[in-house]
Structures are given as structure tokens and as C-alpha cells.
């Protein structure tokens, strides 16, 4: 087999024995390193699974970012107050160590979007973490929902065989379908089409053309959490990532970027237009009733469909509706 050009024999040279032995060991080391590497490279495609290349925070494919979150956030343990900053997960990814929200061990956060995410060609959205290199990887499950009640989780595989200490490392090619696979500045892409056969999608409870919520769930890396492989990949296996960690423990979420957006949707009671009904809408309604103008009432409110009773005003009907919705 030719390797790009013809190799012609030259004059014979004597190679010192030790140099030759070193070369042999180097070649063997390279060989075994490649054997030990996992299968899930950025071009992997086999057995119903497909990987997409990591997504740069500066990618032109990204057209939108998360704009809100559901309260309260379910914080995990080993987390100090200074890292409980969900607002830092909104907007474009920064790719830095500190502009993030840490979830704590086993914590979770649900992000919302001005417009729903839809299934398009290839990957549809990407989740960004803040790993400072390509091996210290803190992982998380990713789930999506249309109504904020019924969520469906992406299939995932972890081939890391043994526990990893708090400063340890894992091989990204042994990870599939989990957020946190790549270093800061690069997002893990997710393709909604991979969920097409899930029961929640088949029965219409989750619409892949109207994903309004993305939930990120930290994986406790001591092996107490298990992967969820697709059919044909066997039972769940323990997931290991650096554990234990403290202060900013767990998954460090930088941002969620969107590639494909659906058309704008009106949500009744969504007074500020962030795509969900939450405490902010209640505060807005109460301020308006008190004769104050809060400044975040959506400009198109009368015609947006957010008006609960269709009178074009914010009144007690909106307050009661928001309270009931929460």
C-alpha cells in the first residue's frame, strides 16, 4: 500500500540498538494509545448514533441563545452561593471560567427561549460548559420539552470504566449524548431528530418543531448516575467524571445556543415576552395595577396573544391567571 509517495531504498546505515529500541517502544505506545481511545470522535456514525463536530461559540450557525430560566433552580450540593448565578447562562457563550452558573452535584436548571427551537438539518442546538482543557470534563444529561411539564432525555453513552478523582480527566471520545464533552468556547451539539422514536414524541406530548425548554441535569460523577444508551447498546452503565468537586461543583453552564428557530409563539400571561409565565410576569402585572410602569411589558402586548381575556389591558384576570399557572 502506498502512503502518498514511493519510498526508494537508500544507503544502509547502522542504527544504534538503544535508538532502535526507543523507536519501537514509541511506535508501540502510539499504537496502544489509539486502541484505548474511545469511538465517539467528532465524525462518528454507526449503529444509529452520529456525532457532530464541536460548535464554536462564534459559529455563524448560531442564531439565538437562551433568554430565561424557570424558577426555582434545583441546586445541587457542594455549591457556594457565589456560583448560583442563572442569569449568566443567558445570551451568547463567553468561553471563560467565571461567566457561568454552577449547578452543584446533581443540580438542574431549565432554560427558556424567545422563540421555540425546531428540528432542522443536522444538529439543532448546542450546550456550552467551561472546561479549561479537553480532559477535565464535567458532564450533564440534556432534556427538552414543549410545555415545560413533559421532558424527554437524549440517549447517552459513557465508556469511562473507573472512578475519576476531583482533579482527574476523562477521554471525550468515550462520551456520547452528554453535555460538557468539549472545552470552554465549544458547545456539544444536539440533534432533535434523535428523539423522533421516543414515546413522548410519538404521542405528541413533545413537539420537535416547538421545543421551548431545555433542561440541563448535572451528573454526580461517583458512578451513582447511569447512562441511557439507545436500543441495542445494552443496559445502563455507571457514569464517571471528576468527583468530588467543591464550591463551583457540578456542571458549569455557560450558555445554550440555537441553530434552528421556530416561529414566534404567544403564551397567555407572558407579559414580558420571554416565552414563559413566571415571577417576572407577576411582578409586572402588580406594578401596572399599582399605577407604575415597569418598563419590561412587551411592546406588542395588546396584539401578542399574551392578554388573558382579550381586553388589551393588564388587570386582575392576568394576575389570577399567572398565580394559577405557577
Amino acid at each position: 500500500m502506498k502512503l502518498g509517495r514511493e519510498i526508494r531504498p537508500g544507503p544502509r546505515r547502522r542504527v544504534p540498538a538503544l535508538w532502535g529500541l526507543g523507536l519501537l517502544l514509541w511506535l508501540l505506545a502510539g499504537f496502544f494509545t489509539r486502541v484505548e481511545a474511545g469511538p465517539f470522535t467528532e465524525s462518528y456514525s454507526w449503529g444509529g448514533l452520529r456525532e457532530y463536530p464541536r460548535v464554536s461559540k462564534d459559529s455563524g450557525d448560531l442564531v439565538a441563545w437562551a433568554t430565561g430560566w424557570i424558577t426555582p433552580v434545583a441546586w445541587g450540593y457542594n455549591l457556594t452561593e457565589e456560583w448560583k448565578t442563572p442569569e449568566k447562562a443567558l445570551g451568547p457563550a463567553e468561553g471563560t471560567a467565571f461567566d457561568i452558573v454552577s449547578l452543584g452535584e446533581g443540580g438542574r436548571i431549565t432554560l427558556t427561549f424567545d422563540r421555540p427551537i425546531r428540528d432542522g438539518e443536522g444538529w439543532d442546538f448546542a450546550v456550552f460548559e467551561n472546561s479549561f482543557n479537553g480532559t477535565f470534563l464535567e458532564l450533564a444529561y440534556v432534556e427538552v420539552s414543549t410545555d415545560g411539564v413533559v421532558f424527554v432525555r437524549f440517549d447517552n453513552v459513557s465508556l469511562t470504566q473507573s472512578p475519576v478523582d476531583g482533579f482527574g480527566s476523562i477521554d471525550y471520545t468515550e462520551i456520547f449524548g452528554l453535555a460538557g464533552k468539549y472545552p470552554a468556547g465549544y458547545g456539544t451539539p444536539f440533534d432533535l431528530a434523535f428523539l423522533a422514536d421516543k414515546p413522548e414524541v410519538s404521542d405528541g406530548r413533545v413537539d420537535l418543531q416547538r421545543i421551548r425548554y431545555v433542561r440541563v441535569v448535572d451528573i454526580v460523577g461517583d458512578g451513582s448516575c447511569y447512562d441511557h444508551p439507545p436500543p441495542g447498546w445494552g443496559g445502563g452503565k455507571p457514569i464517571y467524571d471528576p468527583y468530588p468537586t467543591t464550591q463551583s461543583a457540578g456542571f458549569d453552564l455557560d450558555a445554550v445556543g440555537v441553530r434552528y428557530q421556530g416561529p414566534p409563539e404567544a403564551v397567555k400571561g407572558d407579559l414580558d415576552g420571554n416565552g414563559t409565565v413566571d415571577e417576572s410576569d407577576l411582578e409586572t402585572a402588580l406594578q401596572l395595577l399599582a399605577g407604575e410602569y415597569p418598563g419590561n411589558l412587551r411592546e406588542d402586548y395588546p396584539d401578542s396573544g399574551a392578554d388573558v381575556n382579550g381586553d388589551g389591558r393588564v388587570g386582575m384576570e392576568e394576575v389570577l391567571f399567572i398565580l394559577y399557572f405557577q
Side-chain angles (χ1 to χ4, degrees), residues 50-62:
R50 178 182 176 183
E51 279 283 15
Y52 295 98
R54 66 188 72 188
V55 179
S56 168
K57 66 182 181 65
D58 301 316
S59 170
D61 288 330
L62 295 170

Side-chain angles (χ1 to χ4, degrees), residues 2 6 20 51 57 68 73-74 76 89 96-97 109-110 131 136 190 249 253 270 272 285 324:
K2 293 186 178 180
E6 184 177 1
E51 279 283 15
K57 66 182 181 65
V73 176
T96 67
I109 188 172
T110 302
S131 173
F136 184 84
F190 290 87
L253 179 61
D270 177 22
D272 57 11
Y324 178 79

Side-chain angles (χ1 to χ4, degrees), residues 269 285 289 301 307-311 313-324:
L289 286 178
Y301 174 74
D307 185 9
V308 171
N309 60 351
D311 65 356
R313 302 169 55 192
V314 176
M316 281 303 301
E317 291 82 0
E318 280 70 32
V319 172
L320 295 174
F321 179 87
I322 294 168
L323 286 171
Y324 178 79

Side-chain angles (χ1 to χ4, degrees), residues 139-207:
L139 306 173
Y141 302 118
V142 175
E143 305 168 348
V144 298
S145 173
T146 296
D147 61 4
V149 177
V150 178
F151 283 82
V152 60
R153 177 173 291 182
F154 281 89
D155 290 337
N156 51 82
V157 179
S158 172
L159 301 179
T160 305
Q161 298 297 310
S162 57
V164 179
D165 66 42
F167 296 96
S169 61
I170 57 179
D171 181 352
Y172 84 93
T173 66
E174 294 182 339
I175 301 299
F176 175 85
L178 297 173
K181 178 169 177 169
Y182 299 117
Y186 294 93
T188 305
F190 290 87
D191 186 349
L192 292 171
F194 292 170
L195 303 175
D197 294 329
K198 296 291 186 181
E200 299 88 344
V201 176
S202 300
D203 63 21
R205 288 179 294 165
V206 175
D207 183 351

Side-chain angles (χ1 to χ4, degrees), residues 60-303:
D61 288 330
L62 295 170
V63 299
W65 302 85
T67 55
W69 71 92
I70 299 299
T71 58
V73 176
W75 303 113
Y77 59 91
N78 288 344
L79 181 66
T80 56
E81 289 296 323
E82 63 188 292
W83 297 103
K84 296 180 180 180
T85 51
E87 67 278 2
K88 291 188 176 181
L90 308 184
E94 296 291 339
T96 67
F98 302 106
D99 196 68
I100 49 92
V101 53
S102 296
L103 302 185
E105 303 285 5
R108 64 180 63 196
I109 188 172
T110 302
L111 298 181
T112 61
F113 305 81
D114 279 344
R115 292 168 56 179
I117 305 170
R118 68 174 178 86
D119 182 27
E121 182 68 25
W123 62 272
D124 304 301
F125 68 94
V127 180
F128 292 76
E129 216 259 356
N130 78 334
S131 173
F132 58 86
N133 62 21
T135 60
F136 184 84
L137 306 178
E138 296 176 296
L139 306 173
Y141 302 118
V142 175
E143 305 168 348
V144 298
S145 173
T146 296
D147 61 4
V149 177
V150 178
F151 283 82
V152 60
R153 177 173 291 182
F154 281 89
D155 290 337
N156 51 82
V157 179
S158 172
L159 301 179
T160 305
Q161 298 297 310
S162 57
V164 179
D165 66 42
F167 296 96
S169 61
I170 57 179
D171 181 352
Y172 84 93
T173 66
E174 294 182 339
I175 301 299
F176 175 85
L178 297 173
K181 178 169 177 169
Y182 299 117
Y186 294 93
T188 305
F190 290 87
D191 186 349
L192 292 171
F194 292 170
L195 303 175
D197 294 329
K198 296 291 186 181
E200 299 88 344
V201 176
S202 300
D203 63 21
R205 288 179 294 165
V206 175
D207 183 351
L208 298 184
Q209 301 301 322
R210 296 177 57 246
I211 297 301
R212 299 177 53 236
Y213 304 87
V214 173
R215 178 184 287 168
V216 180
V217 183
D218 175 70
I219 292 171
V220 181
D222 62 355
S224 60
C225 294
Y226 291 80
D227 64 3
H228 299 80
W233 281 76
K237 301 174 292 300
I239 300 176
Y240 298 107
D241 71 5
Y243 180 89
T245 54
T246 59
Q247 296 186 9
S248 62
F251 193 85
D252 301 315
L253 179 61
D254 185 353
V256 175
V258 180
R259 185 182 188 185
Y260 297 114
Q261 287 184 299
E265 290 190 338
V267 180
K268 287 189 180 298
D270 177 22
L271 306 188
D272 57 11
N274 70 351
T276 187
V277 179
D278 52 25
E279 292 180 359
S280 174
D281 298 303
L282 180 59
E283 293 176 4
T284 299
L286 292 174
Q287 287 175 330
L288 286 166
L289 286 178
E292 303 175 9
Y293 189 78
N296 62 341
L297 178 68
R298 57 193 303 165
E299 294 181 1
D300 62 346
Y301 174 74
D303 303 313

